[in-house]
Amino acid sequence: MTKPTTDDLRKAYGLGGYSATRAELRKLVSPMLEVQARHTDLAGLIDSSPICGDEPHQMKVRPTWSAIRDALDLDTLTALCMGSVKWTEVTEAIRSPAHLGAPSTTSKSGYTFGRPHSLTSEMVAANNAAIMGDAEFLPTVAYEPSTFGLQDVIEVHDHIVERCEVSTNDAFSAMRKYHSTEEWHDKCSAAQNMVELRGAYEISAYSELPERVKNCIALTELQFDDVDAPTEPEAPTTVAKYELPAAAESSLIDLALKNAKLPSIATLIEEINGASAKIAEAQAKAEAEASLMASASAPTVASGAYPSGKVRLKVAADVFGFTGAKRKTFDFKIPVWEWDAPHPLVPAIDENYIFRAESLLMVLYSIITNQPAWLHGHTGCGKTTKLEQVAAYTNFPFMRVNFDSEISRADLIGRDTLVNDGGATASTFVEGILPQMLQTPCIACFDECDFMRADVAYVMQRSLEGNGLLLTEDGGRLIKPHPMFRAFATANTVGQGDEFGMYQGARVQSQAFLNRFKTFVHVPYMTATERRKLITSHHKLKADTLDKVCKYITEHLEAFTNAKVLQPISPRNFMAFSQAIVAFTDMFGDEAKAIEMAFDMTILNACTTQDKAVLKGIGNRVLK
Ligand SMILES: Nc1ncnc2c1ncn2[C@@H]1O[C@H](COP(=O)(O)OP(=O)(O)O)[C@@H](O)[C@H]1O
Ligand SMILES: [Mg+2]
């Protein structure tokens, strides 16, 4: 079994036409795959793959080596022929795409089938260079633009649009890339104008096209074939304005947003303003409810450990101290507590907590309308803290149960316990955390809900229904929720199981339980600017050290969201990192050494060996 030579590959690429090249590459790789696949349990592989199956987002792939080969993309086929990726890397990319595969924005499964993430774009470029014998990998001599008439250019366009399923615009920008001459760009622009003006048209047969046109098609097609791993878009920071910017500016912003794979500025603003409108609507209802509360609640909670208090309605912007554009968005009233004495369950305000307008609006909306919300987002994005800080600013007591641990039904509801009753032992029912929460006016945080067990979820579901919780264990006592009890769930997923391959314990939650939640709020990671602000507000780093740390965090987050490492980096982590840098610099006076030690201690030592290797690589590049 011999590897195909670069000559064989060059011939394959020289055939002109994507399909012809692919057919030839398949032929070249077959002898190798046929032998190597004998040791692979193909049925098991396809069965266990999250991207194969009958669901709409999955691919139907027969469990044979040739079917797998036929589903591979051109780069992967080439890399297999060149020996730069191994068959086992391909099978692992099929088995666990989130960890070992290559994300794709064009494929319905979200991954390029069988393409290992070890196949980097540099490696693809190097392979292509080796085949074409040119560092620029695509030989500009493959077609000579000056020999093209307008009709030829249009023909290239038509075939690209049909084969690659791309827009006219994308086809032309791909075509323009191969030749930088003005003449070629003018021809492309002229052809594009004609294409946009013409009516129905017929595409000419590929086989009858002149060789130069075929070459041009083949080369242009290659651009749509290689998939770069998309980076997690940073949430836009432009939305603070809430008014559509001038047309020229909007289109620039849209371009940037589009590159970051985000909706247009108009859509974003509409969403936020929509939320504000919803809030205004909800406010009328809330005012009625709260004034009722305010009159009735003065004596509500003067029980043992807790002081008594009243609900007041205050303008959200005042409560959170917002100024400028944010003030206008938060110009609505929210319920705020006033307590006779400090309430032990009201958290302290963290001055440095940065609120995002969108998710804060949603949380306040849930409080006003008394509709449970489900906050989801990656570890450390600030879900729990967001609820805690909303409680801090509004003086709501904050109560939290963490479902991350193996919490049981009895922990939640309560159990019979033996107590000493004047010398005799008696059995009494002691309430669990849930009845206590329900009876308290509080922001209840059901934390890490996607780890909840089904029997526990059932209890939760009943208690969120509004009719109250029936304690069968305590003689069928009914616990009615306090009118100012507000429920929130936080989770890494939307309760449909682990879609990222990062949260192994996440369970699929029942629809009945999920239906209790009226709003689903996505909490994004802080933006780079916000991270920088947070660090500077706590730790005095030198400007270039701060730059390095910020750059590192951005790249670490990117590696995490692309599943290159399993270890996230939360604000907790990078704050510890920054703090350690400051401390070690003071101790040793040698900043480079301080960074290195702090990096080892606060980031690397917490990781698995595999993550360590990747993160160390990033560190070596950006922290030096
Ligand atoms: N927007 C933010 N502003 C300031 N600190 C934040 C912000 N988001 C997260 N943090 C900090 O990050 C850490 C992790 O947040 P946490 O709420 O525990 O995340 P999650 O519950 O999403 O895992 C906390 O120390 C919190 O103070
Ligand atoms: Mg949390």
Side-chain angles (χ1 to χ4, degrees):
M1 176 184 68
T2 49
K3 239 174 47 175
T5 63
T6 34
D7 250 358
D8 295 333
L9 289 161
R10 191 170 302 126
K11 272 186 212 136
Y13 273 94
L15 287 174
Y18 173 71
S19 325
T21 301
R22 190 167 63 177
E24 185 59 23
L25 288 176
R26 284 177 182 166
K27 231 188 266 168
L28 290 172
V29 83
S30 290
M32 293 161 59
L33 291 198
E34 192 182 355
V35 175
Q36 285 162 354
R38 281 183 206 151
H39 306 290
T40 313
D41 166 20
L42 294 174
L45 174 68
I46 298 297
D47 238 19
S48 66
S49 169
I51 54 174
C52 302
D54 295 324
E55 299 291 322
H57 68 280
Q58 293 176 320
M59 295 174 62
K60 285 196 190 78
V61 181
R62 278 178 300 113
T64 62
W65 68 265
S66 54
I68 292 175
R69 173 201 63 190
D70 291 349
L72 295 175
D73 72 318
L74 217 60
D75 290 341
T76 310
L77 281 172
T78 310
L80 274 170
C81 289
M82 309 269 294
S84 49
V85 311
K86 299 197 195 67
W87 166 246
T88 47
E89 289 177 280
V90 171
T91 55
E92 285 317 300
I94 298 171
R95 197 187 312 277
S96 20
H99 293 141
L100 300 165
S104 149
T105 46
T106 45
S107 126
K108 59 183 176 177
S109 70
Y111 295 93
T112 305
F113 178 84
R115 181 177 173 125
H117 85 64
S118 56
L119 178 57
T120 58
S121 47
E122 292 91 85
M123 199 188 276
V124 170
N127 282 345
N128 286 324
I131 296 167
M132 301 302 188
D134 181 350
E136 267 298 311
F137 114 65
L138 288 169
T140 42
V141 288
Y143 62 93
E144 181 45 62
S146 61
T147 61
F148 277 63
L150 271 191
Q151 187 51 39
D152 294 342
V153 182
I154 291 175
E155 235 132 31
V156 175
H157 160 267
D158 292 350
H159 282 271
I160 292 295
V161 166
E162 193 186 75
R163 285 153 175 260
C164 306
E165 295 178 300
V166 294
S167 67
T168 288
N169 234 330
D170 290 352
F172 277 111
S173 41
M175 288 159 68
R176 284 191 184 96
K177 275 198 196 144
Y178 281 118
H179 287 282
S180 52
T181 60
E182 208 174 310
E183 185 198 6
W184 176 244
H185 283 221
D186 285 348
K187 276 184 188 166
C188 286
S189 303
Q192 181 162 1
N193 285 339
M194 288 178 66
V195 164
E196 276 160 1
L197 289 174
R198 79 181 162 185
Y201 68 98
E202 237 172 67
I203 186 164
S204 33
Y206 183 80
S207 55
E208 286 167 55
L209 294 174
E211 217 46 44
R212 59 173 191 282
V213 174
K214 282 186 187 162
N215 277 344
C216 181
I217 294 173
L219 287 171
T220 309
E221 244 171 1
L222 286 175
Q223 284 193 46
F224 295 105
D225 201 49
D226 64 31
V227 184
D228 285 335
T231 49
E232 176 87 347
E234 287 252 325
T237 47
T238 39
V239 291
K241 267 188 177 163
Y242 314 119
E243 265 166 35
L244 204 56
E249 211 180 313
S250 293
S251 54
L252 268 180
I253 298 175
D254 280 342
L255 198 68
L257 290 172
K258 194 170 162 224
N259 283 336
K261 312 213 166 46
L262 288 166
S264 74
I265 185 74
T267 320
L268 284 174
I269 288 181
E270 204 173 290
E271 253 171 44
I272 294 179
N273 292 344
S276 312
K278 263 208 259 171
I279 285 188
E281 222 174 81
Q283 215 178 332
K285 191 179 146 210
E287 290 205 17
E289 187 189 334
S291 68
L292 188 137
M293 279 297 307
S295 52
S297 74
T300 11
V301 267
S303 77
Y306 305 143
S308 60
K310 289 193 197 75
V311 180
R312 296 254 181 263
L313 287 179
K314 290 194 178 158
V315 174
D318 291 337
V319 174
F320 289 91
F322 291 152
T323 49
K326 253 185 171 171
R327 175 144 207 107
K328 226 167 103 196
T329 316
F330 287 89
D331 185 23
F332 55 85
K333 288 187 183 154
I334 54 169
V336 175
W337 281 93
E338 279 176 5
W339 301 102
D340 292 348
H343 195 298
L345 296 181
V346 175
I349 288 181
D350 174 358
E351 301 275 350
N352 297 311
Y353 187 82
I354 301 165
F355 285 106
R356 277 285 182 78
E358 304 91 318
S359 45
L360 179 59
L361 274 175
M362 305 284 262
V363 168
L364 295 180
Y365 174 72
S366 298
I367 292 179
I368 296 174
T369 56
N370 193 8
Q371 300 188 31
W374 179 285
L375 272 63
H376 60 99
H378 286 307
T379 310
C381 64
K383 302 176 289 295
T384 313
T385 328
K386 171 153 275 146
L387 294 173
E388 187 201 73
Q389 284 307 306
V390 169
Y393 279 90
T394 54
N395 282 326
F396 259 81
F398 179 68
M399 295 179 87
R400 166 180 161 196
V401 207
N402 196 332
F403 291 94
D404 198 358
S405 48
E406 279 295 291
I407 206 157
S408 72
R409 190 186 136 91
D411 298 331
L412 210 59
I413 294 186
R415 49 164 71 83
D416 275 331
T417 316
L418 293 180
V419 292
N420 189 337
D421 183 10
T425 356
S427 154
T428 351
F429 182 80
V430 175
E431 281 180 1
I433 179 81
L434 188 58
Q436 293 174 37
M437 287 169 110
L438 282 172
Q439 296 166 85
T440 312
C442 69
I443 291 187
C445 169
F446 301 115
D447 221 0
E448 311 288 344
C449 254
D450 40 12
F451 295 96
M452 195 183 288
R453 295 189 336 212
D455 57 332
V456 172
Y458 182 71
V459 175
M460 292 294 304
Q461 176 200 327
R462 294 301 304 270
S463 63
L464 292 177
E465 261 161 11
N467 303 330
L469 174 66
L470 194 65
L471 297 179
T472 38
E473 285 88 341
D474 192 25
R477 189 153 60 91
L478 182 70
I479 305 266
K480 278 273 199 188
H482 187 281
M484 291 307 270
F485 166 83
R486 294 292 182 265
F488 290 88
T490 81
N492 296 127
T493 66
V494 283
Q496 315 271 9
D498 181 13
E499 47 179 330
F500 307 106
M502 297 175 192
Y503 304 110
Q504 318 259 308
R507 302 175 211 245
V508 176
Q509 298 295 335
S510 78
Q511 279 307 327
F513 177 51
L514 293 175
N515 281 344
R516 296 290 137 243
F517 294 90
K518 302 297 177 218
T519 34
F520 284 78
V521 182
H522 174 64
V523 183
Y525 271 128
M526 301 167 89
T527 61
T529 332
E530 288 167 340
R531 290 196 290 268
R532 183 176 279 265
K533 205 167 137 196
L534 183 62
I535 296 177
T536 31
S537 66
H538 283 80
H539 305 298
K540 296 254 162 309
L541 292 179
K542 277 197 347 217
D544 68 321
T545 314
L546 179 64
D547 285 346
K548 287 178 190 167
V549 170
C550 289
K551 181 133 204 292
Y552 174 80
I553 304 167
T554 305
E555 294 211 8
H556 187 147
L557 280 176
E558 239 168 59
F560 175 71
T561 38
N562 292 334
K564 293 204 172 84
V565 294
L566 295 178
Q567 180 81 27
I569 181 163
S570 76
R572 264 190 297 273
N573 303 128
F574 64 69
M575 293 300 275
F577 183 27
S578 313
Q579 188 182 15
I581 295 179
V582 175
F584 292 156
T585 314
D586 279 353
M587 275 186 233
F588 307 117
D590 174 354
E591 180 149 86
K593 190 172 165 212
I595 297 181
E596 191 181 326
M597 280 183 65
F599 184 47
D600 270 354
M601 213 177 78
T602 58
I603 313 264
L604 290 183
N605 289 350
C607 313
T608 60
T609 331
Q610 205 179 356
D611 283 358
K612 214 179 208 166
V614 180
L615 296 176
K616 211 168 177 152
I618 300 179
N620 281 341
R621 197 153 38 73
V622 303
L623 291 173
K624 291 281 159 183

